[in-house]
Amino acid sequence: MSISPIAARPYLRDEVYTALKVRLGVRAAGLTAPLRLREEELAAELGVSRTPVREAMRRLEQEGLITFRPRRGARLMPTSLPEYLEWLSIREMLEGLAAREVALNGAADIVPRLRAVFADFDEAGALARPAEYAAANTAFHALMIKESGNALLGKTWDSFGHLKMAGLRFIERLNRGSQSFHEHHDIIDAIAERDPDRAETLARRHVRLLRDQAAASLKEFDLHEKNETTP
Amino acid sequence: MSISPIAARPYLRDEVYTALKVRLGVRAAGLTAPLRLREEELAAELGVSRTPVREAMRRLEQEGLITFRPRRGARLMPTSLPEYLEWLSIREMLEGLAAREVALNGAADIVPRLRAVFADFDEAGALARPAEYAAANTAFHALMIKESGNALLGKTWDSFGHLKMAGLRFIERLNRGSQSFHEHHDIIDAIAERDPDRAETLARRHVRLLRDQAAASLKEFDLHEKNETTP
DNA sequence: CTTCTCTATTTTGTATACATATACAAAATT
DNA sequence: AATTTTGTATATGTATACAAAATAGAGAAG
């Protein structure tokens, strides 16, 4: 006879890591100036001691979400558009790989599952409900990465969570919902045909178009990122 | 009157991080069974308390060099060939991106600098001095990544240090020094011609050939990685 | 001889304490 | 009045302390 455990005991450092990641990731998306993070304040807010907070912050530091200056604590930096463009360059390659692998080795039911993500949308809907469509968009790419079967790709992808969040700030001004809609379906079609080369090409183009548009709008954004004054 | 400062004080957590990364990275390359890491032991060895050791370990955990099981501490896992192949798939994309960027935006003197890396070798030398050639190989790829101008690419690359180390264990049996020699020079030629498409294609092929050969030898390696017993 | 159980030991997880560097503000000096 | 100096507060960096879980080992039962 087997009984289920009362409760899998959570570990504070992991809880804190998740809590901070969500909280800071969201904040980072709208950030225009560095945000100072005080350990004691965060610890008090979360009801724990500084130790798990510090350990969580080390992980976030390694991910690149926060930066440390010795003896001066952690800071959450706003993501600059140039940094976001760097991420899109990398993302182009990673998504290309994922699309290729899914076309080659994806599960038999992957195509309906991918289509289901966008089932609630037609082209008009994608434009009318941008927030929901953005969520579907995220789900689509996450599913592709997951279905690629490359666990390391998934881990790499996840570790860039803050950049994906930050992207919302830049992307929302681009209004490319309609194009995006068609591009996604083209990628799914290529996967349905089990054509890895075409799937990769389309996935890469999808990201590259986004990157090109974001780069073109570079001038429109504040360049506050360059005004970092480190005394 | 001026006196010289006593000493610029380093930060233990960073020293520990570097020390552990080197030490564990090297060990991981030859590892065939999980290696348990005791915090107190490491702390004593390095002459510090557990705190900086733990913070360093959080960063290494986030990088993927070590894994944690709650209340059971950290373990250094041997890199499996399947995991290494996953890395090579990702690496193919990252190196392709780097080669493209270098061809597009590399400094004026990048070609001689790339050639200088292999200046000491001809084809015979690459075969005769495999250890030195492996080092040159590493330097070449690191220089390409650095010269790409994509800082995030460099950070991503660096965070896979342990897999690059582990690779030595698999690659050394493949003896593809001669092919590698020509492939490198072809990539440099494409960069010299400032042909980004060809540079990317060649860089990707370079890694993919390595991956294919490694995959083909899958059967030769012990599959101890699958015998992980998690009680 | 094997297997199980109970206890002792070890080790991790978290909290707290202390030392030191930075920040800020008031006082002193130019 | 402006600038430097110095005192104090605050926050970080590291060490230690204590509690809880896991491991190991001895002894008992089969």
Side-chain angles (χ1 to χ4, degrees):
Chain A
M1 169 172 117
S2 76
I3 57 172
S4 59
I6 305 286
R9 181 168 239 255
Y11 289 86
L12 292 184
R13 62 159 184 262
D14 295 329
E15 304 272 309
V16 171
Y17 169 77
T18 306
L20 288 181
K21 187 159 182 171
V22 171
R23 178 183 308 200
L24 299 181
V26 172
R27 277 216 210 177
L31 212 60
T32 58
L35 175 66
R36 174 143 187 221
L37 307 173
R38 275 186 237 82
E39 294 176 0
E40 214 149 3
E41 183 181 308
L42 292 172
E45 243 177 285
L46 297 167
V48 299
S49 80
R50 281 173 54 209
T51 305
V53 172
R54 282 178 68 88
E55 293 191 8
M57 296 212 300
R58 287 310 138 201
R59 293 177 59 186
L60 296 171
E61 174 190 19
Q62 196 60 25
E63 272 186 6
L65 178 57
I66 61 182
T67 58
F68 274 81
R69 293 182 301 170
R71 287 276 177 194
R72 302 173 88 185
R75 296 194 309 171
L76 181 63
M77 303 293 288
T79 304
S80 68
L81 182 53
E83 186 185 4
Y84 183 64
L85 294 178
E86 288 188 355
W87 157 239
L88 286 183
S89 290
I90 294 173
R91 192 183 136 183
E92 176 187 332
M93 308 309 283
L94 299 183
E95 295 225 37
L97 172 60
R100 162 172 290 279
E101 292 296 326
V102 172
L104 272 173
N105 305 315
D109 66 339
I110 186 59
V111 171
R113 282 165 62 207
L114 288 170
R115 290 205 199 283
V117 172
F118 295 113
D120 284 349
F121 298 92
D122 53 12
E123 185 169 349
L127 287 167
R129 295 173 288 152
E132 289 171 66
Y133 187 67
N137 187 26
T138 301
F140 172 75
H141 292 291
L143 179 54
M144 290 278 291
I145 296 287
K146 182 153 176 282
E147 190 67 17
S148 74
N150 187 323
L152 198 57
L153 178 56
K155 279 184 57 179
T156 304
W157 185 257
D158 288 340
S159 77
F160 286 114
H162 60 292
L163 285 166
K164 284 179 288 189
M165 280 299 229
L168 299 176
R169 173 164 135 246
F170 303 115
I171 293 173
E172 67 187 4
R173 311 197 199 181
L174 297 179
N175 261 75
R176 56 188 309 283
S178 175
Q179 297 163 57
S180 170
F181 182 82
H182 291 294
E183 286 158 19
H184 284 147
H185 280 289
D186 290 343
I187 294 169
I188 298 176
D189 288 342
I191 290 168
E193 294 165 25
R194 297 284 168 177
D195 184 337
D197 285 332
R198 192 155 147 263
E200 178 182 335
T201 300
L202 291 173
R204 284 186 59 167
R205 181 181 301 157
H206 173 60
V207 181
R208 192 165 53 248
L209 287 171
L210 171 59
R211 186 186 185 283
D212 289 345
Q213 283 195 261
S217 68
L218 183 63
K219 305 294 182 294
E220 299 174 25
F221 295 101
D222 295 337
L223 296 175
H224 54 255
E225 299 83 11
K226 307 217 161 173
N227 304 342
E228 173 65 11
T229 54
T230 36
Chain B
M1 168 172 116
S2 76
I3 58 173
S4 58
I6 307 283
R9 181 176 270 228
Y11 288 88
L12 292 184
R13 62 161 183 261
D14 295 330
E15 305 271 309
V16 172
Y17 169 77
T18 306
L20 287 182
K21 187 159 183 172
V22 171
R23 180 183 307 200
L24 299 182
V26 172
R27 276 215 211 176
L31 213 59
T32 58
L35 176 66
R36 175 146 186 216
L37 305 174
R38 277 185 239 83
E39 294 175 1
E40 212 149 7
E41 184 181 307
L42 293 173
E45 243 177 285
L46 297 166
V48 300
S49 79
R50 280 173 56 209
T51 306
V53 172
R54 283 178 68 87
E55 293 192 9
M57 295 212 298
R58 286 312 138 203
R59 294 177 59 186
L60 296 171
E61 174 190 19
Q62 198 59 26
E63 274 186 4
L65 177 57
I66 61 182
T67 58
F68 273 80
R69 293 183 302 171
R71 290 275 177 195
R72 301 171 90 184
R75 296 194 309 170
L76 181 63
M77 304 292 288
T79 304
S80 69
L81 183 54
E83 187 185 2
Y84 183 64
L85 294 177
E86 289 188 355
W87 157 238
L88 286 183
S89 291
I90 294 173
R91 192 182 137 183
E92 176 187 332
M93 310 308 284
L94 299 184
E95 295 225 37
L97 173 59
R100 161 172 291 279
E101 293 296 327
V102 172
L104 272 173
N105 305 315
D109 66 339
I110 186 59
V111 172
R113 281 164 63 209
L114 288 170
R115 290 205 199 283
V117 172
F118 296 113
D120 283 350
F121 297 91
D122 53 13
E123 186 169 347
L127 287 167
R129 295 174 287 153
E132 289 170 66
Y133 187 68
N137 187 25
T138 301
F140 172 76
H141 292 291
L143 179 55
M144 290 278 291
I145 296 288
K146 181 154 178 282
E147 189 67 17
S148 75
N150 187 321
L152 199 57
L153 178 56
K155 278 183 58 177
T156 305
W157 185 257
D158 288 340
S159 77
F160 287 114
H162 60 293
L163 286 167
K164 285 179 288 189
M165 280 298 231
L168 299 176
R169 173 164 134 247
F170 302 115
I171 294 174
E172 67 188 2
R173 311 197 201 179
L174 297 179
N175 261 76
R176 56 187 307 285
S178 174
Q179 296 163 59
S180 170
F181 182 82
H182 291 293
E183 287 158 18
H184 285 147
H185 280 289
D186 290 342
I187 294 168
I188 297 176
D189 289 342
I191 290 168
E193 293 164 27
R194 297 284 169 177
D195 184 337
D197 285 331
R198 191 154 147 262
E200 178 182 335
T201 301
L202 291 173
R204 284 185 61 166
R205 180 181 300 157
H206 174 60
V207 181
R208 192 164 55 248
L209 287 171
L210 171 60
R211 186 186 185 285
D212 289 345
Q213 284 195 262
S217 68
L218 183 63
K219 304 295 181 296
E220 299 174 25
F221 294 101
D222 295 339
L223 296 176
H224 53 256
E225 299 83 10
K226 307 216 162 174
N227 304 341
E228 174 64 10
T229 55
T230 35

